[in-house]
Structures are given as C-alpha cells and as structure tokens.
Amino acid sequence: MEGLVKIIVIGLGALLFVGLAWPLAKRLSARLRGRARHSVAAVARTKAKLDARLLCRSLGGRDPRVRAAAAEALADIVGAGGAANISRALSAQDLGVRSFAATWVLVHCHDPGAVGRYFAGLDLPPGLSFARDPEWIMGQLVDALGVESLVAGLGDGQEDARSMAGLAADEICRVEGVAPFVRVLDNKEANLRRLAAWVLGAFGDPDAAPWLAAALHDADIWVHLEAAAALWKVRDDRGAPPLLRLMNSDVEEVAARATARLTGLGVVKALEKLTPLLRDRFSGLRQEAARALALLNDRRAVPLLVEALAENTPALREEAARALGQIGHASAVEPLSAVLDDKRRDAAVKKTQAAAAIALGRIGHIKALAPLARARQDAELKSAAEEALEALALAQGVGPLVNALANEDEAIRLGAALALRHVGDEHAVEPLLRVLDDPSAKVRHEAALALGRTGHAGAVEPLVGVLGQTDTAWQALVEIGPMAVGALLGALKAPSALARQRAATALGQIGQDRATPGLIEALADDDAQVRAAAAEALGQLADRRAAGPLVALLDNQPNEVLLSAAQALGRLHSGVAVEPLLRMTQRQDPALRAAAATALGQIGDGGAAGGLIARLEDENWDVRVAAAQALGELKNPAAVAPLAKLLSGISDQAAKTAAMALAQIGDARALGPLAAALSEPALRAVADEALKNLGQILGGEALAGALHGRDAGLRLGAAMALRGEQGKKAVGPLIEALEDPSPAVRGAAAQALGLAGQAEAIPPLAAALGDQLKSVSASVGEALERFGEAAVPALIGRLGSGNGRARAQAAASLAAIADRRAIDPLKATASDPQPEVRASVMAALGKLAERTAADLAIAALHDSHRDVRAAAALALGQIGDDKAVRPLLRAKGDSVKMVREAALEALRMFGKEKVQEVMDRYGLEESVNLD
C-alpha cells in the first residue's frame, strides 16, 4: 500500500511538473515581448530536459534582454544533457533556429574539445571524430547556420547580436576561408551583399580580391562602397579610385564613410597608395587623390601636393592648394605664394589663386602677409584675400602683426594693416597711429580703417588730423561713432576744404542731432563741395531745424549744392519747401527737375500735384518717372487721368511707374486704363501687378459695383482685379458678368470665378461653355478645370446638351481633369454630328490613354473631316494599342498633310521596334521611315 502511495505521489508530481513546465515553455514562444525574459529565466530554473528549439528561437528575438536570457538558459540546460537538443536545433527546418543555435555554439565554445563535447550526441559518419576532423564539423555548423543569416546578424541593431555574429564570422573565415562569404556577394539582398563585402575586407584575405573587384559593378552604392573599401584593405589598388570618387558623393553619409575607409589604413600606407594616383593619366582621379591626401592631415603629403601645384590641370591645382591649406604646414607658404604671383588672367588661374589665398590664410603664417596684400589689389581675388587675411589675423594675434607694421617691405606693412582690420584690438592702436604718416598711401589707407575698427577714443584726434590726407579717415571716424562727433565739429573749420567736406560727411553718417547747428553753419562755407556735403548730412539727420537754411540754399547755388539741398528737404518732409521745389521743377537741368519732383513726393503735400502733373509731359524720361512716382505717393485723384494718358504713350519706365502710381492712388477710375495696358506686352506684367494692388485697396464690394459700370474698360479692370481672394467676395456679380456684352469681361469674369474656387459658380460656368467666342469658351473651360473632380458631373452634362462649342470644350476640360467617370460619356459622344466635337472627344480619349477607345479611334481615321482624322491618329499613339499600328500605317497615305503628319507622330510614339514587330506579325514588307 505504501508503494502504491509513492507511485501515485510521483505520478501526480510528474503531471504537475508537465502541467507547469510545458505551458511555461510555450508561453516563452508566444510572449517574447513584455514579460518574455521572466519566462525564459523560469525555464532555465526548472533545469528540465526540454527541447531547446524554443530557446534557440528566442535567441533571434528583437529584445536584447530576451536574447541574453535565452543564451543563459541554454547554458544551464546543456549541462543537463542539452547537447543533443542543440544538435537537433542545428538540424531544424526553421532557418532562425539553426542560425542562432549555431551562433551560440560558435560564441560559447571556441576550443575544439568543447565543441566536440557538445556534439557528443551527434551521429558522425564512421571513422570521423571532431578531434581528427574539425573542418568537417565546422562545415556542418556553417551549413546549419546559413551564412546569409550570419551576415544579416552583422547588421543587427543591438551590439551584443553584432558581436556574436562577428565572432562566428571570424571563426568561419579561419576554418573555411572566404568562400562562404564570397557566395553571399551574389545574394539578391543588397544589404547582405554589402555586409559580406565588409566581412571579406575585415578578414583581409587577398584571395577575395577578384570577387570584390566584380562587386565594384554592383548597382547598389553601399555594396560598391564596401567592396572598394575591402579591396583597399587587402592592398588591392583597384579599391582606391572608387573610394576617391565616392568621397565626392552628393549623399553625405556615403562621402563620410568613403573618407573613413580611405584614411583608415594609417598615414604611411595611405601615402604609399595615393602617391601613384597623383600621377594617374586621369585628371579626375589625380584631383580626388589630392583631396584624400588632405584628409591624412600629415606634413609628409606636402611635397606631393606642391608638385601637383605645377600640373597643367586647373582642377588638380585648385584641389592641391586646398589640400595644402587643410594640412596647414608652413613649408607650403612659398609655393602657394608663387601661385598668387601668376600674372595670367584666365578664369582657371584665378580659381587656383583664390584657393591658394584661402590656403595661406588657413596656414596662418606671417610670411603670407605680402602675397595676400598684393592679391587683394586684384578685384577677382579681393574677397578670397580678405577672408585669408582675417584667418591669418586670428591665427597670429596682435603681436606679430604689430611687428610687421615696421617692416621695410611695403607689401608686408600693407598686409599687416589689412589683417589688423580684422582684429580690432586696442593694443594695436599706438603702432597703427605711427603708420598714419607711412610713405605709402595704401598703408595709411588701411591703417586708418584698422584704427576705426578698434573703436578706441585715442584714435579720434589723430584720424581727424589726417582727414585731408587719408581718404579713409572719415570712414574710420564713422566706425568709432558718437565719440568722434566733437572732434569732427571742430574739423568743420579746418583749413583744408577736403577735411571740412569729409568731416561733414562723417557727421551725417554718425547721425547725432547735436551736429545740426555746426552743419547749418557749414551751409555758408566758401567751398561748394563743403556746402553740398553739409546739406546732404542735414538730410541724413532729418532735423527740421535745418528746413529754413536749406530752403535758402535753393537760390544761386551750383547744381551739386542744389541737388543735395533738394534731396535733404525731401527727407525732412517740410511743407515750407514745396513752393521753392516747384520752382525747381522748371529748371533747365533735368537732374534738378527730377530731384525736385522726387522731393515733392517725399514731402507729400497735395498742393504739389499740379506742378507734378505738368512734369508728366517732360521731355526727359527721368523727370517723367520721378513725377509719376511722386504723384503715386501724393495719392491725389486729380492725377488719375494724366497718369492714365501716360500709359497709352511710349511703353518706357515712365509708363510702368505710372501704372504702379495709379494703383497707389486707389481710385476705381484706374481700372479701365490698367486693364487696357494688359494688351501692351511691355506693360503686361506691371499692369497685372498694379491691378492686383488696386483690387486690394478698393476691396471686393467696390469692385463688384464697378462690374455694373457703363464703361467696358472699367468692368474689365474690375473683373481682372477680382482674380484671387477678392473674387470670393463678389461671386454673384462675377456670375452675372458671364453674360456681359464685352467678350473680354466675360473671359475675365470666368477666370476670376475659377480662381475664387466657390462651388456655386460651377453651374453658371458650365452654362457659359457655349459662349459664341471660342476664346471665352476656353477661359470658361480653364476655370472649370480648376475645380477638378467637383466640376466633372456638370461637364459630363454639357457633353450631351448645348451647342457644339460647349460640347467640344466640355470634352477638352474633362480630359484635363482626367477623371475616369468621363470615359463612357466621351465614348458615347464620339459620333457627335459636329466635327469640332468629334475631334475634341478623340483628343480627350487620347490624353486619357483609354484602351477601350482604340476601336473608336481606328474608325475615326476614316472620318470625313480632317481634324477628326488627325485627332484620332494622335489619340491612337497615346493609347498605345498594337492593333492601331496597321491602320496608322494606312493613314500615312491620307490625302491631307496634317493627317499624314499626325499618323507618323503616332507611330513614333509606338517606337520603331514595335512598329516593325507588328509589320512582321502581319507579313508586311514595306519599309517605314519614322525619322
């Protein structure tokens, strides 16, 4: 009895164990996400002799925690007789199970004895054992793993999976060689081909070179890249050219990876490879080799690049210069400076010189000052030289540049002054002040500007002292700013007229009101240039205290003073200047008349309108332009008619200015003249823009009212102005305008409705398709096309009603919208009594490329009207049905030239090969020339 109890207890225990452990293992497969890791760990704890397939499959899970737990569980159960289970997993049908089981074995059992123990349960062929035949066993592993799966593991998103796959790949390459991975280079999956090339490169076996060279022709750029990199790693010269080319790829990541692969060998080995490429017969390869040398960033590449500077290929010289700058070694300064001294003027030389200048700046050596200073005098190199000098200044700092200011060589002193402009350090002030009396005007010029950049108060008095001798001193004082105002006011009384003039100019640009009294006083200076400069400065200050003195200046002055005074008064917006300026509009000099007109517009006094209107007929077009622009700024309605008259004259700049002025005034009477101006090609764009601006000023309500005006030009202008957002506010009046007596108004109203996009306009637009004028009908059709599929039902309805023009235009618009609902209605209209309609239907079916319409189009090749036959021929070409070839060949003999040409064009759409194929099929021997 006691034995029976034991048996029952053991049986219940076994049932309980199976009932718990087996569902637990099933749950591992079903719940790999979430709590799967805990399920795996539970299986490990049971130490049950379960089938390992579930755990091996878990090794392929996406969650790295699941993969780690599965590996831990496998390690546990192997000790409990799991070797046989691993062996069975290696033979499983599921590639994932085989793959990760083999990976686990390879990773965890590197020594042959351990692998042999794991294969203790494997039935080996007679006479074989792992100790004597490890290659055979490894072959079994490779077969079980599937190299493609291993290669895929190299691209796993998790580091641990990549590490496992990498160890396995290394073991396979050690035992099996490169052959398993060479086979993967032919895989359909580009990513696997890429990873296989990477493995072959990492393994570094030259035996793989032939297959890697073949992979250089792979269509996938990443495979191409890795194959080239692998060749580079196995010391095969065929890898360098493609890597060099890929460094210039538009795909940033490709370029970066190619660069990394190329420079990964180390400097010495890379130099060995790149040196012969600099002498390659292909210039593009030489250029790329120079770029690669720059990436090495090693001075040992400098002699090679200097040698390249003397090459005949401009692009190579330019690239070599850039590379020398990137390496940044001082030994390149002299060769690069020699490039700057080249006196040739062609564009290629200038590009190389610009690159050389930038390179010198990057190197940042003090010896580059003189060549860069000379290069800056060349207009084509000035920008590059300035950039280089700035870089050099930042590299050297103030001390060496200050020392260079005392050099005997003028070019070095000039370069130092130029470079100090980019530093602006107060420590440079004293040395720069000493250079203000340099024998070289160029050095003085740049020293003054450099002092201005410092913004130091100690530079003010010395700079004021050289205003008459150094033409940049006033600019330097402007840069110093308000601190210089007091000294500049004193300079207004300097003995030198040039110094006084420059002082006035500087005061105007600094813009301090406290300078106004001194500048007003300067209006009485003995020198006209000083008076003109003072007047201009007062205008810049815009201080109204200067209005009276400036008005007084408008009499008995030289023209340059009068011009400056007029311009200044315009900026002051002072009404006291209106009458004197109106008198100036009658002066003999057209420049004075134009300046006065401009000033009157700026002042904005409506009382000036009469005098400005008179100037619209001035003999000088500059004056007419200034007057028209001024009248626009005045916004005086009295100017509408005179400005409109200017639109109908010569289409010059004055007429264009008049159009914009009419829009500025904002009077509805300008609608008609602006609409009429649309017919003038030279005025069309500006008139269209003016109408839009005028429409925004007037608003939708005012424009809607203008649509009912008596004047057709007014109505046309209103319709044109309603194109856009304003049209949404006037849909009703625009619909009414579809029946306007003027065809132009009807067409413009249709366009406005199409742009407004309000669905309520679709039915009236559809009704207007039958307009008596074809151009209006076309405008209506275009408007409906803007509605897209919403207009299709209305257009289909018009196919069967209305006059022929309405049906024809409806067919054309349906083709433009390209909605398949139109196919059957169009086919039903193919026999319309009107040839215009039949031709339009054929054209529509062709544009829609409707194959079911091929028979209709073939039949239409015999239509009595030539337009229909021509449209049918082109439609057949667009449809592209083979059965149309023979009818089109016959249509080439039509009595009407346009039909013959349409048939030939249709046959060209099929292509010569297709036409010949059809002819061969039907035994036609005639020769067809489709050229």
Side-chain angles (χ1 to χ4, degrees):
M1 186 70 175
E2 186 177 342
L4 179 62
V5 170
K6 287 182 178 180
I7 292 172
I8 292 172
V9 169
I10 291 171
L12 288 172
L15 288 171
L16 180 62
F17 173 79
V18 171
L20 292 174
W22 180 248
L24 187 61
K26 288 184 68 178
R27 195 161 68 237
L28 167 64
S29 179
R31 300 176 61 189
L32 286 178
R33 299 180 184 273
R35 299 179 62 188
R37 182 185 181 206
H38 301 295
S39 299
V40 173
V43 172
R45 286 195 297 271
T46 64
K47 298 188 182 296
K49 297 178 181 180
L50 297 176
D51 188 77
R53 284 176 296 178
L54 294 173
L55 291 171
C56 290
R57 185 179 291 112
S58 300
L59 285 168
R62 293 184 178 180
D63 189 333
R65 296 171 301 175
V66 173
R67 294 202 295 272
E72 182 183 349
L74 275 169
D76 262 349
I77 68 169
V78 163
N85 293 328
I86 293 290
S87 300
R88 285 197 298 274
L90 288 168
S91 304
Q93 291 184 352
D94 188 319
L95 176 61
V97 175
R98 298 200 311 276
S99 170
F100 287 99
T103 302
W104 188 87
V105 172
L106 287 170
V107 170
H108 290 277
C109 310
H110 288 300
D111 75 282
V115 176
R117 288 194 298 276
Y118 278 109
F119 277 82
L122 185 66
D123 293 328
L124 301 179
L128 289 177
S129 70
F130 189 85
R132 293 195 308 273
D133 304 282
E135 289 82 3
W136 187 91
I137 298 295
M138 288 303 301
Q140 291 292 97
L141 280 174
V142 171
D143 291 342
L145 177 61
V147 175
E148 285 82 357
S149 297
L150 176 62
V151 169
L154 294 169
D156 192 280
Q158 298 295 330
E159 184 178 356
D160 60 341
R162 293 196 303 274
S163 177
M164 292 169 69
L167 289 169
D170 184 65
E171 187 73 14
I172 289 174
C173 284
R174 185 179 65 80
V175 177
E176 289 284 302
V178 298
F181 294 96
V182 163
R183 290 194 294 271
V184 183
L185 289 175
D186 293 325
N187 195 282
K188 292 181 179 179
E189 293 290 333
N191 191 48
L192 292 180
R193 300 198 302 275
R194 175 178 68 83
L195 289 166
W198 180 84
V199 170
L200 291 168
F203 193 56
D205 191 336
D207 290 345
W211 290 276
L212 289 168
L216 290 176
H217 303 289
D218 197 292
D220 186 271
I221 192 170
W222 295 105
V223 179
H224 182 81
L225 168 62
E226 293 300 346
L231 282 167
W232 183 246
K233 287 180 181 178
V234 301
R235 309 297 189 266
D236 191 297
D237 291 340
R238 287 173 288 185
L243 281 175
L244 289 169
R245 285 191 293 271
L246 289 170
M247 283 170 55
N248 298 321
S249 172
D250 292 334
V251 182
E252 187 175 337
E253 189 177 354
V254 171
R257 289 198 187 182
T259 301
R261 301 290 192 270
L262 188 66
T263 55
L265 284 180
V267 175
V268 175
K269 291 176 181 176
L271 280 172
E272 291 175 359
K273 292 288 186 182
L274 292 169
T275 298
L277 295 178
L278 272 176
R279 302 181 179 93
D280 194 273
R281 62 192 181 93
F282 293 110
S283 61
L285 192 55
R286 297 200 301 273
Q287 181 182 346
E288 289 157 354
R291 188 176 295 115
L293 284 169
L295 296 170
L296 296 177
N297 200 24
D298 192 277
R299 62 172 295 181
R300 285 169 286 189
V302 171
L304 294 169
L305 292 166
V306 168
E307 182 182 334
L309 282 177
E311 285 281 346
N312 292 326
T313 308
L316 175 58
R317 295 198 304 269
E318 186 179 344
E319 198 59 57
R322 287 201 192 97
L324 287 167
Q326 191 163 338
I327 294 172
H329 196 265
S331 61
V333 172
E334 287 189 15
L336 287 167
S337 299
V339 171
L340 290 181
D341 291 333
D342 193 330
K343 302 302 181 184
R344 289 176 292 172
R345 304 297 302 173
D346 62 274
V349 170
K350 291 303 175 188
K351 287 186 70 176
T352 303
Q353 289 180 317
I358 299 297
L360 285 168
R362 294 189 69 170
I363 294 171
H365 198 280
I366 203 74
K367 288 182 180 179
L369 284 174
L372 288 173
R374 289 192 293 269
R376 188 182 174 277
Q377 298 175 43
D378 187 325
E380 296 178 76
L381 299 178
K382 183 176 180 179
S383 176
E386 285 280 8
E387 182 181 339
L389 284 163
E390 181 176 4
L392 190 152
L394 294 174
Q396 286 289 332
V398 175
L401 295 175
V402 165
N403 293 336
L405 286 174
N407 196 285
E408 293 181 359
D409 189 333
E410 178 189 346
I412 293 177
R413 297 198 307 277
L414 177 59
L418 285 164
L420 284 168
R421 284 177 56 188
H422 299 287
V423 177
D425 193 300
E426 63 179 16
H427 294 96
V429 173
E430 286 299 326
L432 285 168
L433 289 173
R434 289 195 294 270
V435 185
L436 284 180
D437 59 356
D438 193 277
S440 167
K442 293 177 182 177
V443 176
R444 296 196 303 270
H445 176 107
E446 297 302 332
L449 290 174
L451 282 166
R453 185 64 58 90
T454 67
H456 197 277
V460 173
E461 290 295 342
L463 285 169
V464 169
V466 296
L467 275 173
Q469 295 82 41
T470 304
D471 58 354
T472 55
W474 72 269
Q475 296 171 345
L477 289 162
V478 169
E479 193 156 2
I480 291 174
M483 282 191 298
V485 170
L488 285 167
L489 284 170
L492 289 175
K493 300 183 183 298
S496 167
L498 185 56
R500 300 197 301 275
Q501 177 191 344
R502 288 172 174 170
T505 301
L507 286 167
Q509 296 211 8
I510 293 173
Q512 293 280 302
D513 286 350
R514 58 193 171 111
T516 300
L519 288 168
I520 289 174
E521 188 176 344
L523 292 177
D525 195 280
D526 294 338
D527 188 274
Q529 296 294 335
V530 176
R531 298 197 297 275
E536 183 177 352
L538 287 166
Q540 290 171 319
L541 296 182
D543 189 330
R544 292 208 171 191
R545 289 177 292 173
L550 285 169
V551 167
L553 203 64
L554 292 179
D555 292 322
N556 301 319
Q557 291 289 337
N559 281 2
E560 63 266 29
V561 179
L562 292 173
L563 281 172
S564 296
Q567 292 163 356
L569 286 165
R571 291 173 178 169
L572 292 179
H573 306 290
S574 175
V576 300
V578 172
E579 288 302 324
L581 287 170
L582 281 172
R583 289 194 297 272
M584 187 182 285
T585 61
Q586 300 173 23
R587 290 263 190 164
Q588 186 175 358
D589 189 334
L592 293 177
R593 299 200 298 273
T598 299
L600 287 166
Q602 292 172 320
I603 293 171
D605 191 310
L612 290 169
I613 288 171
R615 290 300 102 204
L616 291 177
E617 298 181 0
D618 196 284
E619 60 184 16
N620 183 276
W621 77 273
D622 283 331
V623 180
R624 295 197 299 273
V625 167
Q629 188 170 358
L631 286 166
E633 292 171 356
L634 292 184
K635 297 181 173 57
N636 192 320
V640 171
L643 285 168
K645 183 179 178 182
L646 198 61
L647 283 180
S648 60
I650 301 172
S651 299
D652 58 6
Q653 185 61 39
K656 294 177 182 179
T657 308
M660 298 310 297
L662 284 168
Q664 280 182 282
I665 293 171
D667 193 301
R669 290 175 299 161
L671 290 169
L674 287 172
L678 292 171
S679 61
E680 290 288 337
L683 295 177
R684 186 173 297 139
V686 70
D688 187 57
E689 182 68 22
L691 276 168
K692 290 178 184 176
N693 293 344
L694 181 56
Q696 291 175 353
I697 293 170
L698 291 172
E701 186 176 344
L703 292 170
L707 282 174
H708 298 102
R710 292 185 178 182
D711 182 71
L714 178 66
R715 299 198 303 275
L716 174 60
M720 297 292 286
L722 282 166
R723 292 171 299 168
E725 287 298 314
Q726 296 296 334
K728 294 179 180 180
K729 304 172 185 177
V731 173
L734 283 169
I735 290 173
E736 293 175 16
L738 291 174
E739 299 179 1
D740 194 278
S742 166
V745 175
R746 297 198 299 273
Q751 291 175 5
L753 286 168
L755 290 166
Q758 302 296 298
E760 62 190 279
I762 293 177
L765 281 169
L769 279 171
D771 195 279
Q772 57 185 346
L773 279 183
K774 187 174 183 178
S775 60
V776 177
S777 178
S779 295
V780 173
E782 290 172 5
L784 285 165
E785 290 163 20
R786 289 183 176 275
F787 287 93
E789 62 181 26
V792 170
L795 286 166
I796 289 175
R798 291 299 276 161
L799 282 177
S801 62
N803 58 25
R805 178 161 292 128
R807 299 196 299 277
Q809 185 56 53
S813 294
L814 284 168
I817 295 172
D819 191 297
R820 304 296 297 176
R821 289 175 291 171
I823 298 295
D824 289 337
L826 283 169
K827 288 162 66 176
T829 315
S831 57
D832 192 278
Q834 293 287 333
E836 179 186 5
V837 179
R838 298 197 301 276
S840 184
V841 167
M842 285 296 114
L845 290 169
K847 288 178 182 177
L848 293 170
E850 178 53 39
R851 296 187 72 84
T852 63
D855 291 334
L856 284 173
I858 290 171
L861 288 175
H862 303 287
D863 196 279
S864 59
H865 200 281
R866 62 183 184 180
D867 289 348
V868 181
R869 298 199 301 277
L874 290 173
L876 286 168
Q878 293 167 314
I879 291 170
D881 195 315
D882 290 359
K883 62 185 175 183
V885 172
R886 289 186 71 190
L888 285 169
L889 287 170
R890 288 192 292 270
K892 279 180 77 273
D894 195 281
S895 60
V896 178
K897 182 180 180 182
M898 67 177 291
V899 179
R900 296 196 299 271
E901 291 176 345
L904 182 60
E905 180 61 29
L907 288 168
R908 289 195 188 107
M909 295 180 197
F910 279 95
K912 192 171 184 178
E913 291 183 4
K914 175 59 69 176
V915 172
Q916 190 62 53
E917 177 190 327
V918 174
M919 291 175 65
D920 293 343
R921 190 188 309 160
Y922 292 101
L924 302 175
E925 297 181 357
E926 61 180 292
S927 61
V928 179
N929 183 10
L930 301 183
D931 297 330

